[in-house]
């Protein structure tokens, strides 16, 4: 079945550090890939997406590049801030006949940034 | 811009009792609406996608039974029964057009079991 693997459960950084959160996927078709961010007490917020090989998605200083060869979509940010502390989810979306698009999520990575 | 409203925002549910949740879409031009659950370990899982008024689906998962109904173009409901562990339910709408195809989440309804 379609699945997303995020290996980091927790990431602890200091302000201005470089961030990488890994995301690998397995899918039978050609999925769209997403990053969502969730702050405490809120629903997941869409960050950005990519739908083609080598396409880069980006928003708010975060970016990821769709890599079909390595089946990856790793999230990166050059310089994190304390306000970036949140849980980050990688997801894949596949169109399904008659049911629209369903998202499959990784387990999430909790980012904590210290001042 | 807030696309979705959910109520209640939280509820204490006595064990064995069912609870009814509502999701209101503020823009009826987005027909595809879905429910997702988030368990206590924060794992997000798709439950249903319903497009048309009158659509209904049921599903049993570990820890809860669900009945989803698309009531109108702008209202989605979810009944949660036989819940054994707390969870949060989110509705989404799929926004397409202008080069985008993205699902946006509502604020969620958090359910706690008494």
């Amino acid at each position: 079945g379609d699945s997303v693997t995020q290996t980091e459960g927790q990431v602890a950084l200091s302000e201005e550090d470089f961030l990488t959160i890994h995301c690998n996927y397995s899918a039978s078709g050609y999925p769209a890939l997403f990053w969502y961010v969730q702050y405490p007490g809120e629903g997941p917020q869409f960050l950005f997406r990519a739908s083609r090989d080598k396409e880069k998605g980006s928003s708010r200083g975060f970016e990821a590049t769709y890599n079909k060869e390595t089946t990856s979509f790793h999230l990166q940010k050059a310089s994190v801030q304390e306000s970036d502390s949140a849980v980050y989810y990688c997801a894949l979306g596949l169109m399904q006949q008659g049911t629209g698009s369903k998202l499959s999520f990784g387990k999430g990575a909790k980012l904590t940034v210290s001042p | 811009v807030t696309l979705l409203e959910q109520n209640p925002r939280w509820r204490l549910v006595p064990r064995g009792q069912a609870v009814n949740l509502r999701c209101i879409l503020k823009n009826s031009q987005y027909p595809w609406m879905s429910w997702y659950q988030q368990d206590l370990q924060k794992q997000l899982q798709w439950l249903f996608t319903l497009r048309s008024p009158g659509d209904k689906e049921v599903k049993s998962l570990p820890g809860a039974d669900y009945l989803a109904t698309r009531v109108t173009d702008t209202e989605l409901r979810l009944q949660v029964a036989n819940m054994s562990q707390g969870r949060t339910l989110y509705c989404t709408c799929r926004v397409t057009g202008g080069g985008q195809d993205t699902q946006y989440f509502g604020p969620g309804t958090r359910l706690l079991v008494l």
Side-chain angles (χ1 to χ4, degrees):
Chain A
D2 307 320
S3 65
V4 174
T5 301
Q6 291 184 243
T7 49
E8 296 96 349
Q10 311 249 8
V11 179
L13 295 174
S14 300
E15 280 194 323
E16 300 183 14
D17 280 353
F18 187 90
L19 168 71
T20 299
I21 296 176
H22 294 93
C23 172
N24 288 89
Y25 71 91
S26 170
S28 52
Y30 202 141
L33 300 174
F34 300 79
W35 279 100
Y36 282 81
V37 58
Q38 187 175 31
Y39 299 97
E42 298 182 12
Q45 291 179 22
F46 170 72
L47 254 186
F48 57 82
R49 62 171 269 160
S51 54
R52 299 183 305 277
D53 190 22
K54 298 181 178 50
E55 180 182 357
K56 180 190 278 190
S58 64
S59 176
R60 309 185 211 173
F62 294 91
E63 63 180 39
T65 301
Y66 194 132
N67 190 319
K68 196 163 185 289
E69 182 183 8
T70 59
T71 61
S72 65
F73 192 55
H74 304 318
L75 181 70
Q76 294 187 320
K77 187 175 185 184
S79 175
V80 294
Q81 302 301 311
E82 193 176 359
S83 57
D84 293 327
S85 298
V87 180
Y88 291 82
Y89 292 92
C90 183
L92 68 81
L94 278 172
M95 277 298 300
Q96 295 182 293
Q97 186 73 19
T99 62
S101 178
K102 151 189 156 180
L103 293 174
S104 295
F105 285 87
K107 291 188 173 181
K110 184 176 182 181
L111 171 65
T112 304
V113 181
S114 307
Chain B
V1 176
T2 305
L3 287 172
L4 296 161
E5 188 180 294
Q6 289 188 243
N7 61 73
R9 289 298 315 277
W10 64 273
R11 179 63 55 88
L12 294 172
V13 184
R15 198 173 288 273
Q17 204 171 87
V19 60
N20 294 300
L21 312 183
R22 288 175 78 223
C23 172
I24 305 298
L25 175 63
K26 296 189 175 181
N27 187 330
S28 62
Q29 70 173 308
Y30 305 127
W32 294 101
M33 295 180 75
S34 301
W35 286 109
Y36 287 77
Q37 75 167 16
Q38 186 171 41
D39 63 24
L40 295 177
Q41 289 71 46
K42 302 297 186 186
Q43 178 67 55
L44 285 156
Q45 180 179 1
W46 172 84
L47 294 175
F48 306 99
T49 299
L50 300 178
R51 190 197 186 285
S52 303
D55 286 352
K56 282 188 180 187
E57 280 196 46
V58 295
K59 184 172 282 189
S60 287
L61 289 180
D65 297 328
Y66 296 104
L67 165 63
T69 306
R70 186 69 181 265
V71 181
T72 65
D73 284 338
T74 56
E75 185 174 346
L76 187 67
R77 291 185 187 170
L78 184 70
Q79 183 182 83
V80 185
N82 299 317
M83 192 172 61
S84 59
Q85 279 190 325
R87 63 203 59 219
T88 302
L89 285 307
Y90 294 100
C91 65
T92 75
C93 67
R94 181 180 169 214
V95 175
T96 59
Q100 76 167 320
D101 186 348
T102 300
Q103 287 188 46
Y104 290 90
F105 282 70
T109 296
R110 186 173 178 192
L111 301 179
L112 300 170
V113 180
L114 282 177

